[in-house]
Amino acid sequence: MKLHISTLITTILLSLSFVSIVESTQPPFSCDSLNPQTKSLKFCQTGLPISVRVQDLVSRLTLDEKISQLVNSAPAIPRLGIPAYEWWSESLHGVGSAGKGIFFNGSIAGATSFPQVILTAATFDENLWYRIGQVIGVEARGVYNAGQAIGMTFWAPNINIFRDPRWGRGQETPGEDPIMTGKYAIRYVRGVQGDSFNGGQLKKGHLQASACCKHFTAYDLDQWKNLDRFSFNAIVTPQDMADTFQPPFQDCIQKAQASGIMCSYNSVNGIPSCANYNLLTKTARQQWGFHGYITSDCDAVQVMHDNHRYGNTPEDSTAFALKAGMDIDCGDYLKKYTKSAVMKKKVSQVHIDRALHNLFSIRMRLGLFNGDPRKQLYGNISPSLVCAPQHQELALEAARNGIVLLKNTGKLLPLSKAKTNSLAVIGHNANNAYILRGNYDGPPCKYIEILKALVGYAKSVQYQQGCNAANCTSADINQAVNIARNADYVVLVMGLDQTQEREQFDRDDLVLPGQQENLINSVAKAAKKPVILVILSGGPVDISFAKYNPKIGSILWAGYPGEAGGIALAEIIFGEHNPGGKLPVTWYPQAFVKIPMTDMRMRPDPKTGYPGRTYRFYKGPKVYEFGYGLSYTTYSYGFHSATPNTIQLNQLSSVKTVENSDSIRYTSVDEIGSDNCEKAKFSAHVSVENSGEMDGKHPVLLFVKQDKARNGSPIKQLVGFQSVSLKSGENSKLVFEISPCEHLSSANEDGLMMIEEGSRYLVVGDAEHPINIMM
């Protein structure tokens, strides 16, 4: 899959007669106003609509030139002054180095490295997500303005549902809830692309940077046992597709206005995603109104032919992808086989022209065909903003507010700096800053190991690695026990790393690897006081042994907390910050691994004992629930009388109801219609009080639940969340807008969203409020 950049650089140099690179730090661009030939090119006339400009550009290209632009490393077209362009760049949790469009080899050597997405998601803070997106977009443009980028299209966010706890890439996602994942996509994409928090403010569609939602769709298996993502056929019911897998992508397209989406490696119900016309064209473009480009995952078209056997010849697979609506191939398959597919009349130039129209439209929206970028909309974004102090402070804020306190028996935490004379720090993850970054990372602005961050908080700090590595095939338990026995307090920094969970590597087990559990229990038994356990991981871990061990007093989950994660953990352990994060995924017991990863069903099946998946449907034991997280203070919740008890959908004159076999009346969201859905919205009024002794910030999560979930309805569903900061003794009133069509509906077996009559409960913490839907 590795594509070489040397040919791109050579092509850029060959095209200098038309492409302006004024100095070594000047990014390449088209349509230089100083070049007299620019005036004769209609596609350079910025006063014309982009659609007209693109049509002119495409009409000037030969077939060979057209085909050359259908791959991620698009070469220059010197005779038209079109520079080389790299479509593949990454920005999952900061401008990264995993793609081919960004170079950290000049005056900019790194970018702000935020926590891995799964930890940022644990903040449940939409404003934070948006600000992170803003910083990533600004820093991306800053890198471009410094001449260290040949692309401004970034293949993030990953908004697949974290369906199975073993998935190696679950760490890249916002978690298991589709509504929350959709909200993350909206805020991140708007921030990156230069839109406002509420959207609709892009100036004439111009993009600060281009965001791409991936992987479309039902992609959540990489390498499990003998099956890999390249050959996996995900069998998904219409019901699960409608209310689990598709909603985040619909939000990304309709609400976030993302300029790109990526089709995935896997097949869905027998059709490879990148060859699925119903998915790419009918659903994304026609039903949802997508106006952007669609890229394959890298080499997915070749995978379609070689692994899925979809297409007898390479030309067949090429034609299937282009006719389905895919615009660009990350790889070189289309470069090799599109011309022969045209010659064999398997695909027409109409499909190629459509793809090019979508591709060049994005490059024009990025301002890359508007002349000198220093004089354009985003030309004043200085490279000095990359790694700006306020950006690094935001990375610290994200880590602080994402870290989750899972256990705190006897208020062991926070420790007192004044009373902690000696501290033992034990664990393979304590003295390795690289581990904090997660995958799809880039060089950070700066970083500090957890061990070094803790050193300033105690008079004496001793360190022992304990395990040889995350797999912990060997452990120096005796040495660890010795330093633990003599310390006032012990902090164990354990868990996983990218050798245990990553792209193309799913886990087989949910327990800690190797001898980690033995090491932790031995140290806890020897220590003077209960120990503090810090778990680094992207996916859930079955730490039931620690949850119920009285000698393990406190547990913190820190995900992969980014460049500032070490500082954030030290501040939390010593009480300079009050943790407030909540788990964005269910933590399952080890027994869950008996369920095949390949079983895509979300709903339980009582006949076979299949327990279902995620907090919305799972009927089985849990180590920790979705939304769980403690604090150093105490919060209480209540519903105001202003929250209605009855929702009268029967007053909407056009609503038609049907009675099912259980004599329960229901209606479809489509029958209600968008206008009536808007009228049916109501507000839930919630009071929150900090009745503890410490100031704190935490997310307030509002759920709706049913006593008995019928017809595959969720047991419980998140309907809203808001982050609130409260001083000790302070209270606040929050208002949540609830849409019955969105929040109180669920999909039937045909994939239609339905609302049933009857009672439900709104739930915040221990507080419940009954509501009754009448039809």
Side-chain angles (χ1 to χ4, degrees), residues 426-504:
I426 297 168
H428 56 282
N429 280 342
N431 197 30
N432 188 334
Y434 185 79
I435 288 171
L436 307 181
R437 290 158 60 169
N439 72 348
Y440 278 90
D441 58 316
C445 306
K446 61 182 180 182
Y447 54 83
I448 182 171
E449 295 82 356
I450 295 169
L451 172 64
K452 290 180 181 176
L454 288 167
V455 164
Y457 287 88
K459 295 176 182 177
S460 171
V461 176
Q462 284 191 291
Y463 169 67
Q464 169 57 236
Q465 182 173 321
C467 291
N468 62 313
N471 61 8
C472 205
T473 53
S474 65
D476 197 343
I477 294 176
N478 291 335
Q479 285 293 325
V481 164
N482 286 338
I483 71 163
R485 187 178 285 127
N486 298 313
D488 291 340
Y489 293 99
V490 177
V491 176
L492 287 140
V493 188
M494 311 297 290
L496 311 179
D497 63 14
Q498 300 305 306
T499 68
Q500 303 300 303
E501 52 176 355
R502 64 182 184 276
E503 186 170 11
Q504 292 190 271

Side-chain angles (χ1 to χ4, degrees), residues 725-747:
S725 295
L726 295 172
K727 294 180 179 179
S728 175
E730 188 178 10
N731 61 65
S732 180
K733 293 180 176 62
L734 305 178
V735 178
F736 293 86
E737 183 182 74
I738 298 177
S739 168
C741 293
E742 180 181 3
H743 301 131
L744 305 183
S745 65
S746 62

Side-chain angles (χ1 to χ4, degrees), residues 141-199:
R141 184 61 74 157
V143 172
Y144 171 79
N145 288 343
Q148 291 181 225
I150 54 172
M152 285 296 292
T153 37
F154 293 85
W155 292 353
N158 181 340
I159 56 169
N160 294 118
I161 297 299
F162 199 165
R163 175 188 61 90
D164 190 290
R166 292 162 286 187
W167 186 30
R169 299 188 73 177
Q171 61 181 293
E172 301 173 26
T173 76
E176 68 184 35
D177 182 79
I179 287 179
M180 175 186 173
T181 300
K183 287 183 181 293
Y184 179 86
I186 293 166
R187 304 309 174 193
Y188 173 93
V189 169
R190 285 177 180 170
V192 167
Q193 294 193 161
D195 206 346
S196 66
F197 180 83
N198 291 318

Side-chain angles (χ1 to χ4, degrees), residues 533-609:
L533 175 62
V534 175
I535 296 293
L536 298 186
S537 72
V541 184
D542 183 353
I543 51 171
S544 300
F545 77 93
K547 180 179 179 179
Y548 298 111
N549 185 343
K551 287 288 287 177
I552 299 172
S554 298
I555 303 173
L556 289 162
W557 174 69
Y560 297 115
E563 68 173 46
I567 297 171
L569 269 167
E571 290 180 346
I572 287 171
I573 289 170
F574 282 91
E576 292 180 3
H577 183 79
N578 187 354
K582 305 286 186 183
L583 291 178
V585 288
T586 302
W587 283 35
Y588 301 85
Q590 167 67 6
F592 191 85
V593 301
K594 296 176 183 177
I595 306 298
M597 272 193 80
T598 51
D599 195 326
M600 299 291 291
R601 291 175 297 166
M602 301 302 296
R603 272 87 175 164
D605 184 353
K607 295 179 182 178
T608 63

Side-chain angles (χ1 to χ4, degrees), residues 340-480:
S340 54
V342 171
M343 296 299 104
K344 294 178 181 180
K345 301 189 183 307
K346 293 179 181 291
V347 68
S348 74
Q349 288 201 53
V350 171
H351 297 100
I352 296 171
D353 289 353
R354 178 223 70 229
L356 295 173
H357 188 281
N358 293 331
L359 295 172
F360 281 111
S361 292
I362 296 301
R363 290 171 67 173
M364 287 187 184
R365 290 179 65 191
L366 286 164
L368 307 184
F369 282 76
N370 294 353
D372 189 344
R374 294 173 299 183
K375 300 176 182 178
Q376 306 307 321
L377 179 61
Y378 299 107
N380 62 347
I381 295 179
S382 171
S384 65
L385 288 175
V386 182
C387 289
Q390 64 269 29
H391 296 177
Q392 295 184 60
E393 181 63 29
L394 186 63
L396 176 57
E397 178 186 339
R400 284 172 179 151
N401 294 336
I403 291 169
V404 181
L405 179 64
L406 296 174
K407 180 181 180 181
N408 199 27
T409 305
K411 295 185 178 180
L412 174 61
L413 290 178
L415 301 182
S416 166
K417 185 175 180 180
K419 296 178 182 179
T420 305
N421 292 314
S422 59
L423 184 70
V425 180
I426 297 168
H428 56 282
N429 280 342
N431 197 30
N432 188 334
Y434 185 79
I435 288 171
L436 307 181
R437 290 158 60 169
N439 72 348
Y440 278 90
D441 58 316
C445 306
K446 61 182 180 182
Y447 54 83
I448 182 171
E449 295 82 356
I450 295 169
L451 172 64
K452 290 180 181 176
L454 288 167
V455 164
Y457 287 88
K459 295 176 182 177
S460 171
V461 176
Q462 284 191 291
Y463 169 67
Q464 169 57 236
Q465 182 173 321
C467 291
N468 62 313
N471 61 8
C472 205
T473 53
S474 65
D476 197 343
I477 294 176
N478 291 335
Q479 285 293 325

